[in-house]
Amino acid sequence: MPSASSVRVTSLEEASAALRAASSQGRRVRIGDDIDTTGLDRILEHEAGDLTCTVEAGIRLSALNAALARHGQRLSLDPPGDPTVGACLAGNLSGPLRHRFGAPRDLVLGVTLVLADGTVANAGGKVVKNVAGYDLGKLVCGSRGRVALIARVSLRLHPLAPASATLVVDSDDAAAVTAALMASRLVPSALDVLHPGRVAVLFEGGRASVDAQLRAARDLVGGAEASGEVWREARARQGAARGRLRFSPGALREALSELDEAVARAAAGVAYVPHPTPDDTPTSVRLLQERVRERFDPAGTLA
């Protein structure tokens, strides 16, 4: 939540001025706290025929998807809660749909950033200043506000599916069920292990295709059709998680054997768990992250 003394910016120019002032005064600021970007909440362009849109980063997913739904489209990100688009990129947030559609870095086409000194940098579209050698859109995914303020984002969209169905399989061997589904020709939009004991699978598409995939999945692993409530449960458990574990997608069985409770996404190799976990980022990666931060924010303005 923004602090009582935070500056709420409503334009690219205001965001630039706020960071330029902080930099010149030697103040450290935290994006989302000291600088509140929720006023940057407009849809700037929507090219429905190209399945793309450009939005300000403070728009919330619910507002964006409500507008896109009128054109039969959506942004295929479904993390817990209702974060802003900028928060999704900065936190690399995703939900069950990551199985098929990927994380934010897979959906971002371009960004407009405000660097720590107030400089505007643009990747894609009209270039104000281009930071050569970096894919800025992917660079800021997971940056947690330490690289730049995300002001605008161009995104890849998907059509809304006319039909969907959820299969839930109760099993003492969720890893075997998951492996069978992933080795099949089925194309689920989501596949979560709600450990212990359940695997949830979401199929989307035309009615005939969804029905055929549901039948094929039941023939393969059993289970029963269920409501979409299981996906709300999966997101709620993910949102309440206090830790996250990474594992090789082929090592789901080993990962689950060490956990009492988790929401696991085998295709992504990640499990959300109710207990704190140590930072497992390799030292080499942490050093690289610091070098990138120093390149973009040498004065350490961004906390």
Side-chain angles (χ1 to χ4, degrees):
M1 293 292 292
S3 66
S5 60
S6 68
V7 176
R8 187 172 188 265
V9 296
T10 60
S11 69
L12 182 62
E13 293 74 20
E14 289 180 4
S16 176
L19 278 173
R20 186 166 57 249
S23 178
S24 64
Q25 296 164 15
R27 291 187 288 111
R28 299 199 76 192
V29 294
R30 189 181 299 275
I31 306 302
D33 185 1
D34 303 304
I35 299 180
D36 175 10
T37 61
T38 56
L40 298 169
D41 60 357
R42 295 180 300 161
I43 297 175
L44 301 176
E45 296 180 13
H46 178 206
E47 298 293 340
D50 294 331
L51 286 169
T52 63
C53 70
T54 299
V55 303
E56 292 182 324
I59 191 169
R60 297 201 176 273
L61 287 183
S62 60
L64 174 57
N65 276 323
L68 296 176
R70 294 195 286 270
H71 302 272
Q73 297 177 357
R74 75 179 184 194
L75 176 63
S76 296
L77 280 178
D78 60 340
D82 187 19
T84 65
V85 167
C88 286
L89 267 65
N92 198 32
L93 306 179
S94 61
L97 291 177
R98 180 176 178 176
H99 177 85
R100 181 175 180 181
F101 300 102
R105 70 187 316 274
D106 301 299
L107 300 174
V108 62
L109 301 172
V111 292
T112 297
L113 308 177
V114 183
L115 305 185
D117 63 357
T119 299
V120 174
N122 193 315
K126 185 178 179 180
V127 174
V128 179
K129 176 181 178 182
N130 197 350
V131 183
Y134 292 99
D135 184 338
L136 294 181
K138 291 179 173 57
L139 183 69
V140 296
C141 289
S143 64
R144 302 188 183 281
R146 292 288 309 281
V147 171
L149 181 150
I150 303 168
R152 296 173 180 170
V153 186
S154 296
L155 296 158
R156 187 189 315 277
L157 307 175
H158 292 93
L160 281 173
S164 66
T166 293
L167 178 71
V168 173
V169 183
D170 294 315
S171 175
D172 294 330
D173 194 351
V177 171
T178 301
L181 290 166
M182 293 181 65
S184 73
R185 292 189 175 186
L186 298 170
V187 187
S189 290
L191 199 171
D192 273 6
V193 178
L194 284 77
H195 181 63
R198 283 179 295 161
V199 178
V201 195
L202 173 67
F203 297 107
E204 296 180 310
R207 183 75 268 169
S209 173
V210 167
D211 289 345
Q213 290 205 76
L214 183 64
R215 286 195 300 270
R218 293 188 67 180
D219 289 343
L220 181 65
V221 295
E225 187 173 0
S227 73
E229 180 61 33
V230 69
W231 302 113
R232 287 186 284 274
E233 178 189 346
R235 285 190 292 272
R237 286 175 59 175
Q238 177 186 344
R242 299 179 63 195
R244 185 178 69 172
L245 296 172
R246 296 185 181 93
F247 59 89
S248 169
L252 176 62
R253 185 184 306 279
E254 292 79 0
L256 294 180
S257 69
E258 298 178 359
L259 300 172
D260 293 326
E261 181 182 340
V263 173
R265 299 201 172 111
V270 61
Y272 299 93
V273 297
H275 53 80
T277 55
D279 183 1
D280 59 357
T281 305
T283 300
S284 59
V285 174
R286 286 201 298 270
L287 292 174
L288 178 60
Q289 290 172 338
E290 288 305 318
R291 288 174 60 190
V292 170
R293 288 167 185 157
E294 289 172 3
R295 169 67 177 83
F296 281 83
D297 182 19
T301 300
L302 299 175

